Amino acid sequence: MSDWREQRAATVRSLITRAEPDVVEESKWRKPSNPDGVPTFSLSGLICTLETYKDKIKVTFAKGASLDDPAGLFNASLGAGTRRAIDIHESDELDGDAFVALIRQAADLNRG
């Protein structure tokens, strides 16, 4: 992957570490169709995953349904019982400050 998705994923990673500098990134769920696995970000529990698809990147918040989203960033998995996701397409703009707030809120929720 060496295109807009790589650049966007790098931006998302930097926003996550800006929000929570102690976050741990790991690659999980490796399989033949995805040998690199799925990047996961944890701090006192799973915060989110970052997946790359042909037409988008997807940030899935493990406990997204429990988070306040006043900026309306969540636009996928809205009917899921626990998780919520943000699909980011090439032409989409991501509100960095609102995203950082969601990451901090998710980390706080993990901390209890």
Side-chain angles (χ1 to χ4, degrees):
M1 176 181 69
S2 180
D3 59 12
W4 70 269
R5 295 170 301 162
E6 183 177 343
Q7 295 167 354
R8 278 303 181 82
T11 298
V12 167
R13 279 186 172 90
S14 72
L15 290 170
I16 292 169
T17 57
R18 182 176 114 199
E20 292 291 342
D22 294 329
V23 73
V24 174
E25 180 178 354
E26 298 175 285
S27 186
K28 296 186 179 184
W29 308 300
R30 295 175 197 264
K31 56 187 178 182
S33 62
N34 187 10
D36 293 332
V38 175
T40 64
F41 299 86
S42 300
L43 188 61
S44 301
L46 181 62
I47 294 174
C48 64
T49 63
L50 174 60
E51 297 174 272
T52 302
Y53 295 92
K54 184 174 144 181
D55 63 337
K56 66 187 170 224
I57 64 169
K58 178 185 283 284
V59 183
T60 303
F61 284 74
K63 300 177 184 174
S66 298
L67 304 177
D68 292 326
D69 180 22
L73 295 181
F74 291 132
N75 60 6
S77 303
L78 299 177
T82 304
R83 63 185 167 84
R84 294 288 183 272
I86 303 168
D87 285 352
I88 305 169
H89 297 88
E90 185 172 10
S91 62
D92 293 343
E93 292 294 324
L94 179 63
D95 181 334
D97 292 336
F99 185 81
V100 164
L102 275 179
I103 294 292
R104 287 181 178 149
Q105 191 183 160
D108 287 345
L109 182 62
N110 284 350
R111 291 182 188 109

